[in-house]
Amino acid sequence: MVNPVNKIFDELYVVFKDLIKKNIRFKGKLKGIEEKLEALKPVIGDMVQRNEVLDHSRKELEGLTKVMESGIKLFVKCSKFRVWWVFKKYKYDNKLTEWENSLGSELHMLNVYTGRDVKAIAIDVKENAALQKETGVTLKNIEEKLDQFLIQKQPGKPKAWMSTEVPELPRFTVGLDTHLKELKMKLFKDGGSKLVVTAPGGSGKTTLAKMLYHDQEVKDKFTKTIFVKVSKKSNYIVVQELYQELESQESEFPNEDGAFSWLKEFLETFQNPLLLILDDVWSESKSLLEKFKELSIQSSFSILVTSRSSFPSFGSRYPLDALNHKDSLTLLRHSATCPDDKSYDVPEDLQHKIVRRCKGCPLAIKVVGRSLCGKYTESWLKKLYEWSKGASIFDTETDVLVCLKTSLDSLDEKDQNLKECFLDLGAFPEDQRIPAVALIDMWAELYGIDEDFISIQYLQELSSRCLVNLVVTRWNVLNGYAQDSTFSR
């Protein structure tokens, strides 16, 4: 009789292969998923058999089963994708990435369980030869299958779903030296500093964090500096990566509580200066920061977070401003320069106009610069002409669109009204201040939000996520809120 888990995996595998054949639009996103499924295929049966042999009351495969079931539904939807569904492609790209991360988390958990239960199987096999004969499960073949499952990578490299590689420093940076100096001053001031570098996506937060990681003064100040890209990883996986970095080996924590218990014990005994850089932390990871804050109070190690959210309860906010015009121009020229160093003598006034439209966003400047690399003046003129006719940078530069869309998707997860309210800002002129009272009246009419403080809270939430800029012109001392405020998008 076929086990249900095996059956679900077989269906998932067939649907995935069908997706690869039918649709090449997601080819880049599917490569990592394919590697994980191919690694899982030869050992899924052994995993099921291991649970049956040990007669576990645990439901260790339930998480994997749910992930596989959701994967089947997602792959079927992706296989129906049509070329003209341009905007939906980014939605499915994000969903495929999230599903791959979920699969990676489940695989890592099974790694922990398998490593623990190999010992249990060995004891059972030694004590009960009949069991070994009946099931065909031996310590040797379990270990061989486990090796096949785990070592699907180059020797010496971490697993595909658990990377602690040293972050590579970008070859070219501009406009970040002053920010780097200020961050170092704040971190060196006293032990246990907690800073949150916050800015919209594509502003250079990760680049700044990498510069800090590689800075020699930082290396001299801190005995150990650890860089972890959090994104949407679970708390458990983040601590697993810390363990791998600090202990130079993989852990076998049974759950998240066990992982944090180890971290607490480690920090209590580690007396040297330690800097932890948590990069790309999303609002969903607030609980992770709360736990790290509690541990840092006890152990006085420093933490620097980069995020699109401000997390005011965690630490001091350090806003990363947009590039000034001079630095923006430098970045544009660098991005638009071809490797063969051809010169097309593009007039400076066109360069200035392009830079102003990018509004100091490094990602937008780099993407536009690369698209104009090696192009003649007429291409630059065409770009400006398209923008003057109402076209947006998002219409042609998909990297920028994807970056913004991830911020919008995160609004969906918290409050659908919050996203709708943000989109309403598009009805107002660009780069103009919007009176808060106008938004309050509009949202009361559109969504029935009768209490002003709810609308004000929405605006504050959007501001904390770096989606709008808040300017308080008059503070209502009696009622304790910004009575006259303006916002710009």
Side-chain angles (χ1 to χ4, degrees), residues 164 166-167 187-188 209-228 242 245-246 270 272-278 302 304:
T164 56
V166 175
L187 289 171
F188 295 172
K210 290 179 179 179
M211 292 174 65
L212 187 73
Y213 178 89
H214 288 279
D215 186 83
Q216 187 58 50
E217 291 183 355
V218 172
K219 293 178 180 179
D220 294 339
K221 173 68 175 180
F222 296 98
T223 304
K224 185 74 174 177
T225 301
I226 304 173
F227 187 103
V228 178
L242 284 176
E245 177 71 21
L246 292 168
F270 191 86
N272 297 320
L274 174 67
L275 172 62
L276 174 60
I277 300 175
L278 299 175
S302 299
L304 181 131

Side-chain angles (χ1 to χ4, degrees), residues 395-422:
D395 296 332
T396 55
E397 315 303 342
T398 56
D399 289 346
V400 183
L401 177 60
V402 171
C403 184
L404 175 61
K405 189 176 183 300
T406 53
S407 296
L408 295 181
D409 290 342
S410 68
L411 294 180
D412 267 341
E413 298 169 3
K414 186 168 184 177
D415 187 339
Q416 180 62 35
N417 271 354
L418 184 61
K419 179 178 179 180
E420 295 298 329
C421 290
F422 172 70

